[in-house]
Amino acid sequence: MAAPVAAVARRLRRPIRRSPALQDPSRRPASTEPPPAQSSAVRDAFLSFFRDRHGHRLVPSASVRPRGDPSLLFVNAGMNQFKPIFLGTVDPRSEMAGFRRVTNSQKCVRAGGRHNDLEDVGRDLSHHTFFEMLGNWAFGGEYFKAEACSMAWELLTQVYRIPKDRLWVSYFGGDPKTGLDPDLESRDIWLSLGVPANRVLSFGPQENFWEMGDTGPCGPCTEIHYDLAGGVGAPELVELWNLVFMQHNRPVSWLASPCTPSLVREADGSLQPLPQRHVDTGMGLERLVAVLQGRHSTYDTDLFSPLLNAIHQGCGAPPYSGRVGAADEGHIDTAYRVVADHIRTLSVCIADGVAPGMSGAPLVLRRILRRAVRFSTEVLRAPPGFLGSLVPVVVEMLGNTYPELQKNSAQIANLVSEDEAAFLASLQRGRQIIDRTLRRLGPSDLFPAQVAWSLSLSGDLGLPLDLVELMLEEKGVKLDSAGLERLAQEEAQYRARHTEPEQEQGLHLNIHALGELQRQGVPRTDDSPKYSYSLQPGGGYEFGTCEAQVLRLYAENGTAVDSVGAGQRCGFLLDRTNFYAEQGGQASDRGYLVRAGQQDVLFPVARAQVYGGFILHEAVAPECLQVGDQVQLHVDKAWRLGCMEKHTATHLLNWALRQTLGPNTEQRGSHLNPERLRFDVATQGPLTPEQLRRVEDTVREAVAQDEAVYMEEVPLALTAHIPGLRSLDEIYPDPVRVVSVGVPVARALDPACQAALKTSVELCCGTHLLCTGDVGDLVITGEQQLAKGTTRLLAVTGEQAKQAREVGQSLAQEVEAATERLSRGTQDLGEAQRLSKDMGRLTEAVDTAMMPQWQRRELQATLKVLQRRANTAIRKLGMGQAAKKSEELLKRHSKGPLIVDTVSTESLSVLVKVVRQLCARAPSTSVLLLSPQPVGSVLCACQVAQGATPTFTAEEWALAVCSHMGGKAWGSRVVAQGTGSTADLEAALRTARTYALNQLQPGSTQEPTWTKGTQLAHSEGQQNLQ
């Protein structure tokens, strides 16, 4: 038995792949009965089986954008959306808290991050960046191993009718290192279901122990495998279904950090039993369909065949034939697979609000799109706009299951087509830059790393580096890889220096602490007092205090304690609180507490966080605090009021954007604190200055009307009837709080209420002002394109907004004055140059000031025109001055091979113009001019005649003179310039004449001399030689 099992083990993880042996007609099909005709029937059969036969709740797929999980770029497994249940942090009032048996088909993307299949897609017959994960879950011990295995076996063998003799199973064989015993329970369950003992295999933790991450819930898993060989020869197994039994937790250890006095979290490697056990299963739809349709590649199923046919028809390449490796001549079939997979991924991601961009998930999506463009244009020879034409095919195939594809089909096609066109233009420009650079290189020179970097995804054009290397390889040129590595390191260091430091994690309640609280019957925190505030007759807000009792205390390392002493950082739970715990994009409250009867000792509260309905307050104790103490809570009124002001303004901003951009405008996220608010919105492109101004004006009108802000908790189901309700992709509690501007909530609940369509109505747990007039004002001060299709707006309110408007008005007046100065004109070059510098300083002020963004954009456009006009004036005056100076010099010097002299100019650029004009009028004359400046420096410019000897170069001539003056020079063989400093101009002129005459004398061997330490810059681009 050992040898066959070992052989099987080596094949256990092989993906489905095409093999000549598997084409043998003697091979048995996957089922003795006709398989489901379509993949949609396979998906529906799975969901119906668990819903109708086993009482599971059917929930929709979550977005591929992770909800509140910064550890993920994309949702990559069906369990991601249920992590709050596994971690014990789910809101007890939410719909999810009531989940017991659940099933769904989850959209998953595995590209970037820990699970990354991007580079494998196309090379084989099984890898995908997007796939559908069929799953069923049981939470809180609703059922466990026996039921999960039995249901899986029933579905595969009775519903899908997969022959039992083609199914193998594996289970966890234990791990001596962690002291975990073999999962004999799962083994015995499979044996009891009739699986022969020789097809029940045991494996270690790498194969059959599943973990969410380095820490957190985990447990043994049992997997069901399908035998592709069908009993002919050695078994060839492929994983079909993974059943995970989450019954352990890998906790965090707290270690002293050498850099900070606080403690840091690390995985300690130990395992603890979970307070509640869960079942989490996952089966890839693509692989299941391949098995049921008797295909040996997922690309041969009806999940891909319509796309492959559309690719063939759209680009005229030979039909797809499923070849891989060396057999795939010209990589035609590889390109088919890449394009088919990537257009599915792009369509699904863009429909869920992830568009190609420059960082994080958007950057990964940008790479996916550009990889698809490369294969479609360079291998399949597809016409421009081809990728966008495939979007309707994806929508037709997946739109019924995932309706967001149908809703956003036009936007998806437009984004794909626009980015495809942009990439093709970048590709053409990149080729031109490469060709121009190669013309400057010697035969053995490496291609400059700086140029390759500017072409790359990290640089300006966005070309993948491997494509740049391929383009160079085709021309027989090698890239400076070492230099490229240095640039990558410098970029990483720059990003590290300029990345905002992450907020300190603070204390937290882990799953065991939460389980212990529930086991002991500790009540969840009553935080309803956070809404207890009122507007006083004088216009101010009154925030009441809150009387509470300390229920639990936690030391800095998370250990529950009975008391904490002076100077200790601690966390504490109260029976009730008026502090707002950070959630919904609103920052946590700050404030302090005092013990009953001791009003003069303040315990400052830095933050409040919510974990599964328990609100953990964090403070540094100035004195002893004990469990059972009676305390009084005071929120920081200024901080809270700032948050309320920004939150109400956020709702008004959301509504104003819909009024301006259209009712289908969607919020992508927001965050606010007393200083400013941040709002991300889905847009077709950057907002115009006029749109930004209209949005602001709409908010200001609502503020001026000073309408009441109504807030009320209602059953979640009733909110479905609110006309035009704005809600996000969030998990809402039930009952849920409704915030309505100007329309009472009871009236807004009426489906016939037209007033609700004309104002802001949102589901929101945050704290708000009681009337819109208290916002004061709103100014959008910043705008940033996070990705194509998503714009981030930054805004301030109240007094900050007033100041921003004042700054904007002041700068507008300065720009108006500069316009007037420029319109008057000047014939003085110095005055024109000063005006140009003033334009530059004014531009920098406008770029960096906190002011209305619409006004900034308008002033920037005006200043750009003014700067161009000023530069044109400088060039004209400079040319006129140069012509005058050159005429004077020609009159002073008789015809000859050399002019060395001084001239009065105000800039190096004018001096170079004088030299050029002299040489243009006297082509056989070499010219060097010096121009002393009021500050003591001396400018130098020179040009050698066209017929000068090869050894006589302008750069060496300028270096000889400037080094004599203790300066530096730069330029080319023909034209050069430099600077220095000297009180003896005649000596510098003699040096210039002597050097030139020595070079002009035939056969001269005299070497020029100059002071050590001077510099010669050979780069023509270091300064503009005009």
Side-chain angles (χ1 to χ4, degrees), residues 96-314:
M96 183 181 286
F99 288 174
R100 292 296 176 266
R101 298 181 178 214
V102 168
T103 186
N104 85 339
S105 177
Q106 173 63 48
K107 299 171 293 185
C108 298
V109 174
R110 290 189 177 173
R114 183 176 181 181
H115 302 285
N116 184 6
D117 292 340
L118 178 56
E119 294 304 322
D120 293 321
V121 170
R123 297 178 180 177
D124 59 25
L125 299 173
S126 63
H127 276 96
H128 305 290
T129 52
F130 165 74
F131 64 97
E132 298 177 70
M133 182 72 82
L134 303 172
N136 62 290
W137 291 267
F139 302 117
E142 175 71 12
Y143 61 77
F144 207 49
K145 297 179 182 179
E147 297 89 339
C149 294
S150 176
M151 291 176 192
W153 192 253
E154 178 186 1
L155 176 63
L156 294 178
T157 60
Q158 296 181 26
V159 176
Y160 291 137
R161 298 187 181 181
I162 297 176
K164 296 180 180 180
D165 60 0
R166 297 189 75 161
L167 296 176
W168 294 57
V169 297
S170 64
Y171 68 94
F172 179 55
D175 182 18
K177 292 182 179 179
T178 58
L180 288 174
D181 295 328
D183 184 11
L184 301 181
E185 181 183 0
S186 291
R187 181 201 64 181
D188 295 341
I189 290 169
W190 290 120
L191 293 175
S192 69
L193 289 171
V195 182
N198 66 341
R199 294 209 302 273
V200 180
L201 309 176
S202 168
F203 290 98
Q206 185 173 355
E207 293 84 6
N208 279 98
F209 194 88
W210 187 91
E211 302 193 56
M212 185 184 298
D214 294 333
T215 63
C218 53
C221 62
T222 182
E223 296 174 329
I224 304 174
H225 308 268
Y226 179 77
D227 181 9
L228 292 173
V232 179
E236 187 168 350
L237 305 184
V238 60
E239 177 191 331
L240 198 59
W241 201 345
N242 188 11
L243 284 62
V244 179
F245 306 122
M246 281 198 259
Q247 59 192 83
H248 302 287
N249 182 58
R250 196 176 295 280
V252 168
S253 65
W254 294 82
L255 301 175
S257 169
C259 302
T260 65
S262 61
L263 300 179
V264 296
R265 301 165 56 203
E266 289 191 0
D268 66 7
S270 65
L271 291 172
Q272 300 173 354
L274 279 175
Q276 291 186 319
R277 302 184 302 181
H278 312 285
V279 171
D280 164 25
T281 85
M283 176 163 56
L285 174 66
E286 290 76 9
R287 189 170 290 178
L288 174 63
V289 169
V291 167
L292 295 179
Q293 294 184 355
R295 306 295 182 182
H296 299 289
S297 165
T298 52
Y299 290 95
D300 291 335
T301 68
D302 69 338
L303 286 167
F304 287 91
S305 54
L307 267 174
L308 297 174
N309 292 334
I311 294 170
H312 170 59
Q313 295 170 6

Side-chain angles (χ1 to χ4, degrees), residues 729-748:
D729 178 27
E730 298 287 348
I731 299 172
Y732 292 101
D734 191 5
V736 65
R737 194 170 177 83
V738 178
V739 179
S740 174
V741 174
V743 178
V745 174
R747 184 181 170 198

Side-chain angles (χ1 to χ4, degrees), residues 541 543 586-587 589 636-650 672-677 767 769 774-775 797-798 800:
Y541 282 80
F543 299 94
Q586 179 176 329
D589 273 341
D636 183 325
K637 294 181 181 180
W639 180 274
R640 164 69 80 84
L641 191 58
C643 288
M644 290 165 56
E645 186 179 284
K646 298 297 187 297
H647 208 148
T648 302
T650 299
L672 62 98
N673 59 35
E675 297 300 319
R676 68 177 185 178
L677 67 87
T767 57
L769 298 171
D774 293 333
V775 172
T797 59
Q800 289 175 302

Side-chain angles (χ1 to χ4, degrees), residues 804-821:
R805 292 197 188 280
E806 290 174 352
V807 169
Q809 187 60 33
S810 175
L811 287 172
Q813 291 172 355
E814 290 190 48
V815 172
E816 186 177 351
T819 305
E820 177 63 26
R821 285 174 61 195

Side-chain angles (χ1 to χ4, degrees), residues 382-440:
F386 171 68
L387 281 184
S389 71
L390 296 177
V391 172
V393 183
V394 177
V395 174
E396 177 68 24
M397 295 168 63
L398 297 175
N400 289 334
T401 305
Y402 308 113
E404 58 274 10
L405 284 165
Q406 296 174 336
K407 177 182 176 183
N408 298 295
S409 59
Q411 180 190 8
I412 298 167
N414 289 338
L415 276 175
V416 169
S417 297
E418 289 173 9
D419 211 277
E420 178 184 4
F423 178 56
L424 291 175
S426 296
L427 199 59
Q428 179 62 28
R429 189 177 169 202
R431 290 193 178 100
Q432 294 171 352
I433 292 174
I434 288 175
D435 290 341
R436 185 167 67 245
T437 305
L438 292 179
R439 288 195 292 270
R440 300 177 180 175

